[in-house]
Amino acid sequence: MSAQTSTPVAPAADAPIVLEKAVVRSPKAPVILGVFALLALLAAFAFPRTGTTRFGLSTSRDALQFDPIAVATQPAVAVTAVLLALLAIAAAVFVARGRAAKVPLWLVVVFAVLFVFAFLTWAVADGLLPFTGLLVGALGVSTPLIFGALGGVLSERVGVVNVAIEGQLLFGAFSAALVGVATGNAAAALVAAAVAGMLVSFVLAAFSIKYLVDQVIVGVVLNVLVTGLTTFLAGVIDLDKIPAGARFPTVPIPLLSEIPVVGPLLFRHSLLVYFMYIAVFAVWFGLNKTRWGLRLRAVGEHPKAADTVGINVARTRFWNVSLAGAIAGIGGAYLSLDAIGLFSKEMTNGAGFIALAAVIFGRWDPVRAVLAALLFGFATSLQNSLSAAGVTAVPKEFLLMLPYLITVLAVAGLVGQVRGPAAAGKPYIKS
């Protein structure tokens, strides 16, 4: 009898090829959550505050008035701090032993909500915080950031890094105020703001697409140019008194605006805020569900392949960057025609750079970028609300730096390594 020998069998030609995926585990997010949990524990047990914290849910214009919600300060902060510590530990376990290398989004959201509750309860001990007013203020502050972030997403998804969002917002605010004072017409002022933002984008697109100048450098130069130009013109032209006809009044939506908390937050605003709702949906739908969005994303990811199938890369980039500037310009109009009601030099105060941070934090997705802008807007509104409530437990200097601190922590700490559009910032030379 002959011994049988076994030989290795080659895999079938049509067998699927399984590629191993390297999972890079970063302790960055668990460490940051742990630091915030430690701060909550210190506030609860090392620096306890007694008394009762009240959260107001009604505004003076609400048809239905509700009594503030009263919370015992020390027990609430202590219990919440312990929960935060447990969530930080859970985040570390997810990263160390889980299949994914990142902390689940739901855990981060729950952690953020609990930490904000603990901080507000501790800071406003024996006081009243108008919570609905805080949320309404957050949406108001976030509106120009959202317009800027939408413009940034469109520009970068088509392959042009848009550092000039600050200039587009500022020039839009100036042009809206100028035309508003000259004509007294809100619609004309809004169109002027969109055209102004588009003009700034024209320059960005021309230098970066046609003349292949570094996009970041062009954006920085445009910001400086617009800041200097508007500062000079604002000193020559009086834009402190915009006529009432050129401003956008509050337009409550019947019935919906009377819903407690939700009504004042979402349905008691000017037409520009309602237009912002439409713009968010339109950008998301256009990018993900239309042929226009497919072409735009193709140019931003692989312009050579897009050119091969007949897409004009330069033209697609030019007009979409211009559209992005128009959207950002409308955000500037909100500042001068709605939120503030006048134009002052450098009134954007870095909003364009925060919007750019929202684009990165949102991973170049319109919905996520909007959520990031809302986070930064909430930080600014929180600073204003705590100052108005006379909070002395937190230093005033810390409150002033809070929005920028949240921006830095979010982008540098929680985003981690992300990949933007592959061709963003890279000029395309047709071969």
Side-chain angles (χ1 to χ4, degrees), residues 284-296:
W284 170 82
F285 185 84
L287 274 178
N288 298 287
K289 305 294 182 180
T290 66
R291 182 182 179 185
W292 163 75
L294 179 61
R295 286 172 171 247
L296 184 150

Side-chain angles (χ1 to χ4, degrees), residues 359-415:
V359 173
I360 300 172
F361 190 27
R363 300 172 186 264
W364 295 269
D365 176 79
V367 175
R368 291 184 179 182
V370 167
L371 295 177
L374 289 171
L375 171 64
F376 302 146
F378 178 81
T380 303
S381 180
L382 178 61
Q383 165 217 323
N384 298 332
S385 297
L386 292 180
S387 299
V391 172
T392 58
V394 182
K396 180 180 179 181
E397 292 76 12
F398 177 80
L399 293 179
L400 292 174
M401 63 182 276
L402 185 60
Y404 307 99
L405 179 63
I406 294 295
T407 303
V408 172
L409 289 176
V411 175
L414 295 178
V415 171

Side-chain angles (χ1 to χ4, degrees), residues 114-200:
L114 290 177
F115 181 83
V116 169
F117 170 74
F119 174 72
L120 293 178
T121 303
W122 180 83
V124 196
D126 266 342
L128 171 65
L129 178 70
F131 187 68
T132 301
L134 169 63
L135 296 180
V136 172
L139 182 61
V141 174
S142 301
T143 298
L145 301 180
I146 290 173
F147 278 115
L150 291 177
V153 169
L154 283 179
S155 181
E156 300 211 12
R157 291 297 290 268
V158 83
V160 176
V161 175
N162 193 355
V163 182
I165 299 176
E166 177 80 2
Q168 293 158 4
L169 287 172
L170 186 58
F171 202 41
F174 172 80
S175 300
L178 180 64
V179 174
V181 170
T183 65
N185 187 283
L190 185 62
V191 172
V195 172
M198 186 177 291
L199 287 176
V200 177

Side-chain angles (χ1 to χ4, degrees), residues 3-21:
Q4 294 182 350
T5 59
S6 60
T7 58
V9 180
D14 57 349
I17 300 175
V18 180
L19 299 178
E20 293 186 359
K21 183 179 179 180

Side-chain angles (χ1 to χ4, degrees), residues 31-418:
V31 168
I32 291 180
L33 297 184
V35 170
F36 278 99
L38 178 61
L39 292 175
L41 291 171
L42 289 174
F45 300 107
F47 305 98
R49 305 192 70 192
T50 57
T52 302
T53 303
R54 293 177 297 154
F55 295 91
L57 300 181
S58 300
T59 65
S60 58
R61 295 190 296 173
D62 289 349
L64 297 176
Q65 295 291 325
F66 296 92
D67 293 333
I69 297 177
V71 177
T73 303
Q74 172 58 16
V77 175
V79 172
T80 308
V82 173
L83 291 176
L84 290 172
L86 294 176
L87 287 175
I89 295 173
V93 172
F94 268 109
V95 172
R97 298 185 179 181
R99 294 182 178 180
K102 59 182 181 180
V103 179
L105 180 61
W106 67 263
L107 192 150
V108 177
V109 172
V110 172
F111 186 96
V113 171
L114 290 177
F115 181 83
V116 169
F117 170 74
F119 174 72
L120 293 178
T121 303
W122 180 83
V124 196
D126 266 342
L128 171 65
L129 178 70
F131 187 68
T132 301
L134 169 63
L135 296 180
V136 172
L139 182 61
V141 174
S142 301
T143 298
L145 301 180
I146 290 173
F147 278 115
L150 291 177
V153 169
L154 283 179
S155 181
E156 300 211 12
R157 291 297 290 268
V158 83
V160 176
V161 175
N162 193 355
V163 182
I165 299 176
E166 177 80 2
Q168 293 158 4
L169 287 172
L170 186 58
F171 202 41
F174 172 80
S175 300
L178 180 64
V179 174
V181 170
T183 65
N185 187 283
L190 185 62
V191 172
V195 172
M198 186 177 291
L199 287 176
V200 177
S201 291
F202 274 170
V203 180
L204 172 64
F207 277 95
S208 61
I209 297 172
K210 182 174 179 59
Y211 299 107
L212 308 181
V213 181
D214 186 276
Q215 298 168 8
V216 175
I217 294 177
V218 175
V220 172
V221 171
L222 283 174
N223 289 333
V224 176
L225 174 64
V226 171
T227 300
L229 179 63
T230 54
T231 299
F232 169 74
L233 294 177
V236 177
I237 307 171
D238 183 13
L239 299 177
D240 291 341
K241 297 179 181 179
I242 299 178
R247 299 186 59 184
F248 287 89
T250 300
V251 182
I253 297 179
L255 298 180
L256 293 178
S257 62
E258 302 302 327
I259 301 174
V261 182
V262 177
L265 176 60
L266 298 178
F267 306 113
R268 198 180 295 169
H269 295 281
S270 70
L271 293 178
L272 279 179
V273 177
Y274 301 141
F275 180 74
M276 181 264 291
Y277 298 160
I278 298 173
V280 171
F281 174 78
V283 171
W284 170 82
F285 185 84
L287 274 178
N288 298 287
K289 305 294 182 180
T290 66
R291 182 182 179 185
W292 163 75
L294 179 61
R295 286 172 171 247
L296 184 150
R297 288 182 284 119
V299 169
E301 290 291 343
H302 204 312
K304 187 174 183 179
D307 191 10
T308 302
V309 298
I311 300 175
N312 190 315
V313 175
R315 184 171 60 193
T316 301
R317 284 185 170 180
F318 187 91
W319 289 113
N320 282 287
V321 171
S322 302
L323 174 62
I327 294 175
I330 294 174
Y334 173 83
L335 289 173
S336 57
L337 301 182
D338 191 327
I340 301 176
L342 54 86
F343 179 83
S344 60
K345 62 178 183 179
E346 301 182 42
M347 66 183 301
T348 50
N349 198 26
F353 297 107
I354 296 180
L356 182 60
V359 173
I360 300 172
F361 190 27
R363 300 172 186 264
W364 295 269
D365 176 79
V367 175
R368 291 184 179 182
V370 167
L371 295 177
L374 289 171
L375 171 64
F376 302 146
F378 178 81
T380 303
S381 180
L382 178 61
Q383 165 217 323
N384 298 332
S385 297
L386 292 180
S387 299
V391 172
T392 58
V394 182
K396 180 180 179 181
E397 292 76 12
F398 177 80
L399 293 179
L400 292 174
M401 63 182 276
L402 185 60
Y404 307 99
L405 179 63
I406 294 295
T407 303
V408 172
L409 289 176
V411 175
L414 295 178
V415 171
Q417 294 183 352
V418 294

